[in-house]
Amino acid sequence: MMSDLKTAVVAIGGNALLRAGEEPTIENQIKNVRETAKYLAQMVKMGYDIVITHGNGPQVGNLLLQNEISKETVPPMPMDVCVAESQGQIGYLLQQMLTNQLRFIGIEREVAPIITRVLVREDDPAFKNPTKPIGPYYSKDEAERLMEENGWQMKFDEARGGYRRVVPSPEPIDIVEKKSIKRMVFGGDEQSTIVVASGGGGIPVVNQGERLFGIDAVIDKDLAGCVLASSIDEKFFIILTDVPSVYINFRKEGEKALESVTLEEIKKYQAEGHFAAGSMGPKIKAAVRFLENGGEKVLITSPENLIDSLNGYGGTYILQ
Amino acid sequence: MMSDLKTAVVAIGGNALLRAGEEPTIENQIKNVRETAKYLAQMVKMGYDIVITHGNGPQVGNLLLQNEISKETVPPMPMDVCVAESQGQIGYLLQQMLTNQLRFIGIEREVAPIITRVLVREDDPAFKNPTKPIGPYYSKDEAERLMEENGWQMKFDEARGGYRRVVPSPEPIDIVEKKSIKRMVFGGDEQSTIVVASGGGGIPVVNQGERLFGIDAVIDKDLAGCVLASSIDEKFFIILTDVPSVYINFRKEGEKALESVTLEEIKKYQAEGHFAAGSMGPKIKAAVRFLENGGEKVLITSPENLIDSLNGYGGTYILQ
């Protein structure tokens, strides 16, 4: 199917920035970001105005590790500040690579990353059960000290034989900077800005009385992307991932790529347990929520299949 | 004198974020940023739309130091990426504190830091003579290795007895994201966004053929602020610093605070050598350039004297 909506929020997966097993050097990150930026530039050339959101797993992990290793010399920053730093780091790389890929095909457009806070509920049940592992691995002694001193919760990781901090993963409720993002995308009579927003799922904040308070948590980037899309009234939400399509019976007998399905159909497959918790599950959850909140169309595909999918060949479309 | 222009670019000095000699802990940074945010919030209450820019000296220094200390475990990021991280870090703290100070006085406004690149000329003479010291101190052996391996230039610091990298400080020419900033400040019919832009003087980039290329350099934040103000057609540029006014014969016989001077008068004082290279000199240079490029009014004062100065009591105004 051809796409008629010419404006979209595009969520980029962690692998588009740093592939599994790759050393997190600047050279590798630039290589990967450049590759993804090439496809995004082609999408812009097709006439799309886009808002980009992205993961930050390996990057914020490395910032936390740098803070830990150098803590005797440089006072460490808390997690919300590290997420802000990762938004700066990844936002800049996307900004730079996309500017250049656009220039190579004759397009001069501004690309602007915005430091984005995402509101979560203080009484979100996730705060009672932290599940998301973050940052470096510690020995038992260190872990006990950190739990005592910082009030952290830590869990033993069998595979790596070390303790790791776990933080809550609350549900995103609202994008604090939504009006500013909207104004850059839709405001004015000039060509719209390509905005990079809500990186790493956004910096999680809660309302505490009158003030906003940053917290140590991780918001799922696809769910945050869905809230971002809804909050700026985008009708088209694109999730880029490792696979070209959504599959039922993935890697089992009867595996089948979905081409175009309705919200009702995808909810049926979801209920049947076709989408794994660690991989396609959260993306389908975000897609369903987006469509239930007034969105019109979701496309799930890989960066390499983005342009073909927009032209009607490949990818999985989920529609009302 | 009372101010009639109700929109301004405000440049915040390094001390407003971290006072000299203070440990760069998150607690100290929050305390200082909150204090400055209080005055900025009052300025907004007076009816001003503002764009904020800020220094990043201690913060980017610490990021470079963290990269150096943990380099065996985490591949270090280059300087342009560290500047981007510092824009995220400081931008978020300003965003958070200003949001809350505004809420305390009943104002709900978006505060949006934008990752900002600043264009410099590839043939800027500064590239032939790097002068700006950055990052950690090294021993002679380490310094020789780094000069050899990375092509860095390093200088011996008598006071600390160590070698330090020096980078160029080229002149800012243009703000790459100026249209996006303008759109957030002036676009739409709703209340304007309070934008934080060009932090740390911006991420320096040069045009290399078709592409933009990030470089290792430091742009003076007041000069970048002046280019920012001109590029978004702001007519009022405010520089916040450690002293309530600009002085002639500073800390000498005949010391006198300037209240209101013309561009011509300040240039005369400048030529007479009243403004020291390391402190007031660059601020006067930025003020002069702003007024010569179409700006109407510059105010130089301290954060504590900002509101009084806007009400006509104190500070130094420089006018056409």
Side-chain angles (χ1 to χ4, degrees):
Chain A
M1 57 165 294
M2 283 283 287
S3 188
D4 46 342
L5 288 165
K6 285 292 192 180
T7 163
V9 168
V10 185
I12 298 175
N15 274 16
L17 306 170
L18 199 61
R19 296 187 203 288
E22 259 182 357
E23 272 281 286
T25 59
I26 183 66
E27 291 79 13
N28 281 335
Q29 293 205 58
I30 285 179
K31 169 177 69 71
N32 295 331
V33 173
R34 183 183 288 141
E35 181 74 13
T36 301
K38 206 179 290 180
Y39 302 118
L40 295 174
Q42 286 172 33
M43 186 176 174
V44 173
K45 199 176 172 83
M46 287 173 76
Y48 283 92
D49 286 334
I50 56 175
V51 176
I52 301 164
T53 187
H54 59 83
N56 73 343
Q59 291 82 5
V60 80
N62 281 329
L63 289 167
L64 290 164
L65 189 52
Q66 286 181 328
N67 272 275
E68 173 63 26
I69 292 172
S70 55
K71 69 182 172 196
E72 301 299 334
T73 311
V74 180
M77 290 292 126
M79 196 178 158
D80 56 341
V81 176
C82 290
V83 174
E85 290 175 14
S86 79
Q87 289 187 349
Q89 178 193 122
I90 303 166
Y92 167 59
L93 293 178
L94 274 165
Q95 177 184 46
Q96 193 77 328
M97 297 307 129
L98 186 50
T99 298
N100 288 340
Q101 293 300 326
L102 286 166
R103 283 183 168 195
F104 294 157
I105 55 173
I107 298 172
E108 190 76 42
R109 284 279 283 279
E110 287 191 9
V111 184
I114 176 171
I115 303 300
T116 315
R117 295 169 294 179
V118 173
L119 189 69
V120 302
R121 285 203 186 87
E122 218 184 344
D123 61 356
D124 190 300
F127 288 109
K128 289 191 180 130
N129 180 30
T131 54
K132 186 88 190 161
I134 55 138
Y137 292 83
Y138 297 92
S139 71
K140 192 166 183 230
D141 285 356
E142 287 172 311
E144 277 170 0
R145 185 182 54 77
L146 288 163
M147 288 192 277
E148 171 86 22
E149 279 178 19
N150 298 355
W152 289 2
Q153 298 211 36
M154 312 210 47
K155 272 188 186 151
F156 186 68
D157 181 329
E158 296 282 350
R160 288 276 297 261
Y163 287 80
R164 216 165 165 209
R165 185 177 181 197
V166 284
V167 296
S169 189
E171 297 272 330
I173 300 303
D174 200 9
I175 306 291
V176 183
E177 291 74 24
K178 63 187 169 193
K179 285 185 196 168
S180 304
I181 297 166
K182 216 169 158 177
R183 205 171 286 148
M184 280 196 280
V185 179
F186 301 109
D189 45 2
E190 294 186 278
Q191 279 189 312
S192 96
T193 297
I194 297 165
V195 180
V196 181
S198 191
I203 307 165
V205 294
V206 292
N207 272 313
Q208 283 194 339
E210 275 189 337
R211 70 177 185 155
L212 274 182
F213 191 74
I215 53 161
D216 292 1
V218 168
I219 303 172
D220 179 86
K221 76 143 199 342
D222 294 311
L223 278 184
C226 139
V227 174
L228 169 65
S230 300
S231 76
I232 60 172
D233 302 319
E234 289 276 13
K235 300 298 177 196
F236 188 13
F237 181 33
I238 300 173
I239 302 177
L240 297 181
T241 182
D242 303 341
V243 286
S245 300
V246 177
Y247 297 83
I248 51 172
N249 300 312
F250 187 52
R251 290 177 181 167
K252 280 185 259 182
E253 209 184 304
E255 176 180 283
K256 186 187 154 217
L258 301 175
E259 281 176 30
S260 179
V261 290
T262 65
L263 172 59
E264 210 165 315
E265 286 166 335
I266 204 82
K267 284 170 78 173
K268 186 174 78 63
Y269 291 133
Q270 191 184 31
E272 289 169 5
H274 282 280
F275 312 121
S279 60
M280 195 53 81
K283 297 178 204 317
I284 299 297
K285 184 178 170 188
V288 165
R289 188 172 302 176
F290 176 68
L291 293 170
E292 288 184 340
N293 287 338
E296 290 178 14
K297 186 164 63 175
V298 174
L299 165 63
I300 302 179
T301 189
S302 60
E304 308 84 67
N305 284 277
L306 172 62
I307 302 303
D308 278 353
S309 298
L310 291 172
N311 282 323
Y313 306 100
T316 296
Y317 280 94
I318 311 170
L319 305 161
Q320 279 296 350
Chain B
M1 55 164 297
M2 284 283 286
S3 188
D4 45 342
L5 289 165
K6 285 291 192 183
T7 162
V9 167
V10 185
I12 299 174
N15 275 16
L17 307 171
L18 200 59
R19 295 186 204 289
E22 260 181 356
E23 271 281 285
T25 58
I26 184 66
E27 292 79 12
N28 282 334
Q29 293 205 58
I30 285 179
K31 170 177 69 69
N32 296 330
V33 172
R34 183 183 287 139
E35 181 74 11
T36 302
K38 207 180 288 179
Y39 302 117
L40 294 174
Q42 286 173 34
M43 186 175 174
V44 172
K45 200 178 171 81
M46 289 172 75
Y48 284 92
D49 286 334
I50 56 176
V51 176
I52 301 164
T53 187
H54 60 82
N56 73 343
Q59 292 81 7
V60 79
N62 281 330
L63 289 168
L64 290 165
L65 188 52
Q66 287 181 326
N67 272 274
E68 174 63 26
I69 292 172
S70 55
K71 70 182 171 196
E72 301 298 333
T73 311
V74 181
M77 289 291 126
M79 196 178 159
D80 55 340
V81 175
C82 290
V83 174
E85 290 176 13
S86 79
Q87 289 186 349
Q89 178 193 120
I90 303 165
Y92 167 59
L93 293 178
L94 274 165
Q95 177 184 46
Q96 193 77 327
M97 297 306 129
L98 186 51
T99 298
N100 288 341
Q101 293 301 326
L102 286 166
R103 283 181 167 197
F104 294 157
I105 54 173
I107 299 172
E108 188 77 41
R109 284 279 283 278
E110 287 191 10
V111 184
I114 175 171
I115 304 300
T116 315
R117 295 167 294 178
V118 174
L119 189 69
V120 302
R121 285 202 186 88
E122 219 186 343
D123 61 356
D124 190 300
F127 289 109
K128 289 192 181 130
N129 181 30
T131 54
K132 186 87 189 162
I134 55 138
Y137 292 83
Y138 297 91
S139 71
K140 192 167 182 226
D141 285 356
E142 287 172 312
E144 277 170 0
R145 185 182 55 77
L146 288 163
M147 287 193 275
E148 172 86 21
E149 280 178 17
N150 298 355
W152 289 2
Q153 298 211 34
M154 310 206 54
K155 271 187 188 153
F156 186 67
D157 181 328
E158 296 282 350
R160 289 277 296 263
Y163 286 81
R164 216 167 164 208
R165 185 177 181 196
V166 283
V167 296
S169 189
E171 298 272 331
I173 300 302
D174 200 8
I175 307 291
V176 183
E177 291 75 24
K178 62 188 170 193
K179 285 185 196 168
S180 305
I181 298 166
K182 215 169 159 179
R183 204 171 285 151
M184 281 196 280
V185 180
F186 301 108
D189 44 1
E190 294 186 277
Q191 279 189 311
S192 96
T193 297
I194 297 166
V195 180
V196 181
S198 191
I203 307 165
V205 294
V206 292
N207 271 314
Q208 284 193 339
E210 276 189 337
R211 70 178 186 156
L212 274 182
F213 191 75
I215 51 161
D216 291 2
V218 169
I219 302 172
D220 179 86
K221 76 142 196 346
D222 294 311
L223 278 184
C226 139
V227 173
L228 170 64
S230 302
S231 75
I232 61 171
D233 301 320
E234 289 277 13
K235 300 298 178 194
F236 189 13
F237 181 33
I238 299 175
I239 301 176
L240 298 181
T241 181
D242 303 342
V243 287
S245 300
V246 177
Y247 297 84
I248 51 171
N249 301 311
F250 187 53
R251 289 178 182 167
K252 280 185 258 182
E253 209 185 303
E255 177 180 283
K256 188 187 153 216
L258 301 175
E259 282 176 29
S260 180
V261 291
T262 63
L263 172 58
E264 211 166 317
E265 286 165 334
I266 205 80
K267 283 170 80 173
K268 187 173 77 68
Y269 292 132
Q270 190 185 32
E272 289 169 6
H274 282 280
F275 312 121
S279 60
M280 196 52 82
K283 296 177 204 319
I284 300 298
K285 185 178 169 187
V288 166
R289 188 171 302 177
F290 176 66
L291 294 170
E292 287 183 340
N293 286 339
E296 289 178 16
K297 188 163 62 174
V298 174
L299 166 63
I300 302 179
T301 189
S302 60
E304 309 86 65
N305 285 278
L306 172 62
I307 302 304
D308 278 354
S309 298
L310 291 171
N311 282 322
Y313 307 101
T316 296
Y317 280 93
I318 311 170
L319 307 161
Q320 280 295 351

